[in-house]
Amino acid sequence: MTRRRIAFLHPDLGLGGAERLVVDAAVELSRFGHTVDMYTAYYDPNRSFDETRSGDFAVIVSGGWFPRHVLGRLVALCAVVRCTLAAIYLAMRVWSGNIPDYDVVIVDQVAAVVPLLKLLLPGMRVLFYCHFPDLLLSRRGSFLKALYRMPL
């Protein structure tokens, strides 16, 4: 079996269902002998799944200096910016030559970074996992809400 280098890009690595999915995927890929790195804008080892501290894969934090929201609003837009910053950091690490290229980058939740990754790392495969539970949690009746979500 060919061993691969795999990067995950996830907005906030906490204790939710999406986090459980990407952590389980990272652990299993690692157990099959692949090298796995998890890029995220937020990670608190004290409030995360045990597997993130096990050493099965690396957790790399970047973009966390950008706020998660602005006065309780613009959460999705801030997530896009934070993931964009993490994606740029991922690309910079590859460009620097300090790490070998990844065989694939798996992006979760924030699709807006997929074109950026394809532009910055043209030979790299990028897979987007579509996980959007926030669409089920809010009403989409207003024009402003539709306008806010349009670019996302």
Side-chain angles (χ1 to χ4, degrees):
M1 174 175 75
T2 304
R3 295 180 192 243
R4 305 282 182 198
R5 289 190 39 78
I6 302 162
F8 282 85
L9 182 57
H10 185 79
D12 291 334
L13 196 56
L15 289 169
E19 291 77 15
R20 177 80 269 166
L21 184 136
V22 295
V23 166
D24 286 349
V27 167
E28 288 305 311
L29 288 165
S30 177
R31 287 186 183 152
F32 275 94
H34 304 295
T35 301
V36 179
D37 293 334
M38 180 78 64
Y39 289 83
T40 185
Y42 176 80
Y43 173 64
D44 178 356
N46 297 314
R47 187 159 163 66
S48 60
F49 293 111
D50 292 339
E51 295 90 342
T52 64
R53 298 180 299 276
S54 70
D56 286 337
F57 58 90
V59 176
I60 300 154
V61 180
S62 179
W65 57 267
F66 195 85
R68 294 173 91 175
H69 59 82
V70 177
L71 301 173
R73 304 262 186 210
L74 304 174
V75 174
L77 180 61
C78 288
V80 169
V81 172
R82 289 163 60 94
C83 274
T84 299
L85 294 169
I88 292 169
Y89 182 70
L90 184 158
M92 288 173 51
R93 288 189 75 211
V94 171
W95 294 338
S96 73
N98 291 336
I99 62 168
D101 286 359
Y102 291 104
D103 294 297
V104 65
V105 178
I106 301 171
V107 178
D108 180 35
Q109 293 187 349
V110 181
V113 300
V114 171
L116 176 66
L117 284 169
K118 296 298 282 179
L119 178 70
L120 297 177
L121 301 166
M124 201 162 300
R125 293 181 180 110
V126 179
L127 172 71
F128 176 66
Y129 167 70
C130 186
H131 184 92
F132 287 116
D134 65 310
L135 292 177
L136 303 174
L137 298 176
S138 64
R139 294 177 53 201
R140 293 179 291 281
S142 77
F143 172 73
L144 287 176
K145 185 69 146 188
L147 187 62
Y148 168 68
R149 294 225 39 108
M150 189 180 306
L152 305 177

